[in-house]
Amino acid sequence: MPFKLDIFAPDRIVVGVARGDISTADLAAFVQEMIAAGVLHYRKIIDITSATSSIGKDELSVIAERLRTTPVLRPRGPLAIVADHKRGDLARLFMSMTSDERPVEVFRSIHEARRWLLESKLPL
């Protein structure tokens, strides 16, 4: 699977790293893995700097809607997406589709993303 998911329960942080070519099915499976693990309320870093994808706006919209309609017991936690300048457009598009649900930002380094997440308040 092109996504590797690490869950750090004591810190309530999830780190997902994508490598290789990511399909819509890969992204959907990754989202489903987070839903099944019950970590949507955790802080999340998703690093796509080592990935490529031909996922378009319509496919991304379906994924965003899947997240939006997933029942949750607690508000969703902040999301930091790490992307280089070549893949930043897709990350910013996802941010625009989902930022009304929780804080979302796009960063160029994982260090900046982690710093922002640690300063972000977790939902109760």
Side-chain angles (χ1 to χ4, degrees):
M1 180 175 198
F3 279 96
K4 180 179 184 318
L5 179 67
D6 289 312
I7 300 169
F8 302 95
D11 298 321
R12 293 196 300 173
I13 292 179
V14 172
V15 178
V17 179
R19 300 213 188 289
D21 190 47
I22 305 300
S23 69
T24 304
D26 295 328
L27 183 55
F30 176 66
V31 167
Q32 184 56 44
E33 186 178 3
M34 286 193 298
I35 291 168
V39 297
L40 293 181
H41 64 286
Y42 282 19
R43 296 176 180 113
K44 293 168 281 306
I45 296 176
I46 309 300
D47 183 345
I48 60 170
T49 55
S50 296
T52 58
S53 183
S54 59
I55 296 173
K57 182 179 180 178
D58 292 339
E59 294 91 356
L60 202 56
S61 181
V62 169
I63 299 293
E65 185 61 23
R66 169 77 171 110
L67 282 167
R68 192 176 354 275
T69 59
T70 298
V72 293
L73 298 175
R74 298 180 225 173
R76 288 172 176 76
L79 170 63
I81 303 170
V82 183
D84 68 17
H85 67 281
K86 294 176 188 168
R87 284 171 280 290
D89 291 342
L90 190 61
R92 282 185 289 282
L93 177 60
F94 187 76
M95 180 179 79
S96 71
M97 291 177 174
T98 63
S99 62
D100 58 332
E101 300 159 27
R102 50 138 159 60
V104 182
E105 291 291 334
V106 178
F107 299 91
R108 289 202 176 178
S109 85
I110 198 160
H111 304 294
E112 292 172 3
R114 186 176 299 278
R115 191 174 315 116
W116 177 77
L117 278 183
L118 292 175
E119 293 170 358
S120 297
K121 292 185 179 184
L122 276 175
L124 299 174

